[in-house]
């Protein structure tokens, strides 16, 4: 049902059958259903409009699974990985009128991460993809 594209190996992109607004709502609801926290949803179109810049709809949804985040943040040297936290799902419209979602491809990045956190990051990314699939019915 969903087109999946891996761009440059570090991103996974999927098309959504819904609008940006509806897709974001479904992602937030499914995240909460799966016991993930949603610290913020950033409306980048609205933010940039305040500075006079006109862009197509873009929402960035922050997701956090406290159990996974805690495993990383309780470690000392691995706290630098916090730059990748919380997990983010970007929902946006392209000129073709289709809504897309993108996430980081943690599996592709795992080889560059400390072994102590690579598995945790992959687990978090897998959870994010599970949320997308469940929310969009794939």
């Amino acid at each position: 049902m969903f087109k999946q594209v891996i761009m440059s190996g570090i991103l996974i992109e999927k098309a959504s059958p819904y609008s940006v607004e509806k897709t974001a709502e479904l992602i937030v609801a499914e995240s909460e259903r799966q016991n993930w926290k949603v610290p913020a949803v950033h409306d980048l179109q609205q933010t940039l409009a305040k500075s006079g810049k006109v862009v197509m709809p873009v929402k960035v949804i922050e997701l956090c699974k406290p159990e996974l985040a805690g495993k990383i943040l309780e470690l000392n040297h691995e706290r630098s990985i916090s730059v990748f936290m919380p997990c983010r799902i970007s929902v946006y419209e392209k000129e073709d009128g289709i809504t897309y979602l993108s996430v980081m491809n943690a599996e592709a990045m795992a080889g560059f991460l400390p072994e102590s956190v690579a598995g945790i990051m992959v687990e978090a990314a897998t959870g994010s993809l599970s949320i997308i699939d469940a929310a969009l019915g794939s």
Side-chain angles (χ1 to χ4, degrees):
M1 176 193 254
F2 300 103
K3 179 176 87 172
Q4 180 171 327
V5 178
I6 298 181
M7 303 177 342
S8 306
I10 61 168
L11 297 176
I12 297 172
E13 180 180 71
K14 293 185 174 201
S16 170
Y18 306 108
S19 69
V20 169
E21 192 66 37
K22 178 69 172 177
T23 300
E25 289 172 9
L26 290 168
I27 295 295
V28 169
E30 183 60 28
S31 300
E32 292 169 350
R33 193 188 73 68
Q34 291 191 28
N35 296 315
W36 284 65
K37 305 298 180 197
V38 180
V41 177
H42 303 279
D43 185 331
L44 300 184
Q45 181 185 41
Q46 185 179 62
T47 299
L48 290 174
K50 292 176 184 174
S51 298
K53 184 70 177 162
V54 177
V55 298
M56 295 182 77
V58 179
K59 291 185 183 270
V60 178
I61 304 164
E62 293 186 359
L63 303 177
C64 179
K65 184 78 169 182
E67 297 81 11
L68 297 176
K71 288 179 183 179
I72 294 173
L73 297 177
E74 68 191 12
L75 302 171
N76 189 44
H77 297 291
E78 290 80 351
R79 282 194 201 107
S80 61
I81 300 303
S82 62
V83 72
F84 296 116
M85 299 166 69
C87 296
R88 289 176 175 83
I89 297 174
S90 185
V91 181
Y92 47 92
E93 184 180 328
K94 291 186 180 180
E95 290 179 355
D96 60 10
I98 297 173
T99 298
Y100 294 88
L101 301 96
S102 64
V103 295
M104 284 192 312
N105 183 349
E107 285 190 48
M109 296 174 51
F112 299 101
L113 299 172
E115 187 176 317
S116 55
V117 298
I120 299 166
M121 292 296 289
V122 169
E123 186 177 349
T126 300
S128 297
L129 289 172
S130 172
I131 288 167
I132 291 169
D133 289 344
L136 303 182
S138 62

